[in-house]
Amino acid sequence: MTKRDFLSLRDLSLEEARHVLALAKTMKQEPRGSRLSALAGRAVAIVMEKASTRTRVSFEVGVAQLGGHPVVLTTQGSQLARGEPIADTARVLSRYCDAIVFRTFETSRLLGMAKSASVPVINALSDDGHPVQVLCDVFTIEEALGRSIEGMHVAWLGDGSSNMARSFVEAAELFGFHLRVASPEGYFPPQTERDHATKVGCASFTNNPDEALRDADVVNTDVWTSMGQESENERNKAFAGWTLNSAMMNKAKPTAIALHCLPAHRGEEIADDVIEGPASRVWDQAENRLHVQKALLLFLMGIA
Ligand code: CP
Ligand code: NVA
């Protein structure tokens, strides 16, 4: 059987993505401990080249809840810091583990891991995408609003060039919703991705937040400075005035929900009155990482 990776949302068909989300819904309702035999005797490597709280803990706990053994490696705690090539790491981990969850920088490192590993590789965030987060966010949106995301208007406010925004563009195409990205000039996805999204009609791009927020069912934002961009000092200036606050939320539908993948910088990309307000679903959003990722692991490993 060919191994299945999940490096971007393009790695799943709509039918497969729907299968994963349905399985996650079932598993969320099950008593904890009811699937302890699912990964019994198997191990999953969780390799983190960037910091992580949610992704690390949700995968680590998720594997344990499925009866498997999670092995967490960080750069500093492994030979990666001393320059061991990704291809060698991938081959060795594949001899011990049944899947690899990998958070890294350039896409070339992610592709290198996937190419040299003989077990499924999951992108746990790279410079160019955060597909597990966005797959989980689709689950949260449907759970919160009680209907399919197909046909919804989803607004993205802030850094449209971020890994999160770029994965949301892919999700819009896969799931059939419309994403409106509102960002300052210079902070949109790369031109080829914009052109493709515009051509297929799944996303539009504007400098005017009001255009994106009008009739929005969901409003999303993310940090202005992603991991690895800390030296880009001009970012805070470029995003001045782009805070998702209650005045911004009031421009969306009255029933709109607010999402943020976390960690958040209150007072920068999101105001306290939104993240702690009635529209916020960020804590459910964080919890759902656990349920959807467990389902994704079982699917990619050919178990369910
Ligand atoms: N949202 C998310 O991926 O959080 P962490 O960076 O804490 O894993
Ligand atoms: N865009 C953020 C997401 C963090 C989960 C980053 O890459 O730092």
Side-chain angles (χ1 to χ4, degrees):
M1 196 180 80
T2 331
K3 65 140 176 159
R4 291 293 305 265
D5 296 321
F6 182 69
L7 308 182
S8 80
L9 271 303
R10 287 186 300 274
D11 287 332
L12 293 182
S13 67
L14 180 58
E15 192 186 345
E16 289 168 341
R18 283 280 161 217
H19 167 75
V20 170
L21 296 187
L23 180 59
K25 190 172 176 181
T26 303
M27 289 168 72
K28 184 172 180 177
Q29 287 154 3
E30 290 171 353
R32 197 172 284 173
S34 34
R35 295 212 186 215
L36 276 171
S37 57
L39 293 185
R42 304 196 204 211
V44 175
I46 300 165
V47 184
M48 293 291 179
E49 294 198 295
K50 288 179 179 171
S52 173
T53 297
R54 279 144 291 272
T55 308
R56 179 203 162 148
V57 177
S58 56
F59 269 112
E60 190 168 350
V61 170
V63 170
Q65 287 183 359
L66 294 170
H69 184 82
V71 185
V72 178
L73 286 183
T74 57
T75 306
Q76 287 308 322
S78 69
Q79 298 292 3
L80 286 166
R82 298 177 65 247
E84 182 162 18
I86 282 295
D88 295 2
T89 307
R91 284 178 289 179
V92 171
L93 290 178
S94 299
R95 299 289 178 110
Y96 305 133
C97 300
D98 300 281
I100 299 170
V101 174
F102 188 32
R103 171 168 287 196
T104 189
F105 291 84
E106 304 87 24
T107 295
S108 57
R109 289 184 77 74
L110 182 68
L111 296 178
M113 180 73 96
K115 186 171 171 228
S116 298
S118 56
V119 298
V121 173
I122 295 178
N123 178 1
L125 182 147
S126 66
D127 289 347
D128 299 319
H130 197 1
V132 278
Q133 175 74 57
V134 175
L135 184 65
C136 299
D137 293 351
V138 170
F139 181 92
T140 302
I141 291 166
E142 296 192 336
E143 179 185 62
L145 295 175
R147 63 182 201 278
S148 166
I149 198 169
E150 194 181 344
M152 279 191 203
H153 282 154
V154 177
W156 181 274
L157 190 74
D159 187 2
S161 66
S162 69
N163 41 19
M164 278 295 298
R166 292 170 67 187
S167 287
F168 252 105
V169 173
E170 290 176 0
E173 183 173 2
L174 179 64
F175 287 99
F177 62 90
H178 191 79
L179 184 75
R180 294 200 199 110
V181 180
S183 308
E185 204 51 56
Y187 293 96
F188 288 113
Q191 194 63 47
T192 48
E193 293 171 26
R194 284 177 68 178
D195 289 346
H196 174 76
T198 307
K199 196 170 124 205
V200 302
C202 68
S204 49
F205 303 89
T206 176
N207 297 129
N208 181 353
D210 292 6
E211 265 177 43
L213 294 168
R214 193 180 312 125
D215 289 330
D217 298 286
V218 180
V219 185
N220 269 291
T221 192
D222 186 19
V223 291
W224 292 338
T225 302
S226 286
M227 289 181 278
Q229 298 173 335
E230 291 79 3
S231 63
E232 298 178 25
N233 297 320
E234 70 287 0
R235 283 181 162 265
N236 271 20
K237 207 169 143 202
F239 287 106
W242 283 83
T243 305
L244 175 58
N245 52 27
S246 51
M248 291 276 202
M249 272 312 288
N250 288 341
K251 295 176 183 177
K253 279 188 182 162
T255 51
I257 59 166
L259 296 181
H260 188 310
C261 69
L262 306 175
H265 296 84
R266 287 167 170 77
E268 291 188 18
E269 78 279 358
I270 193 161
D272 221 32
D273 61 356
V274 173
I275 197 166
E276 303 294 352
S280 172
R281 293 292 180 279
V282 300
W283 315 115
D284 292 335
Q285 185 183 4
E287 178 190 332
N288 286 332
R289 300 291 305 277
L290 179 66
H291 309 298
V292 178
Q293 289 165 188
K294 281 161 70 179
L296 179 67
L297 272 171
L298 293 183
F299 170 71
L300 294 175
M301 294 168 82
I303 294 166

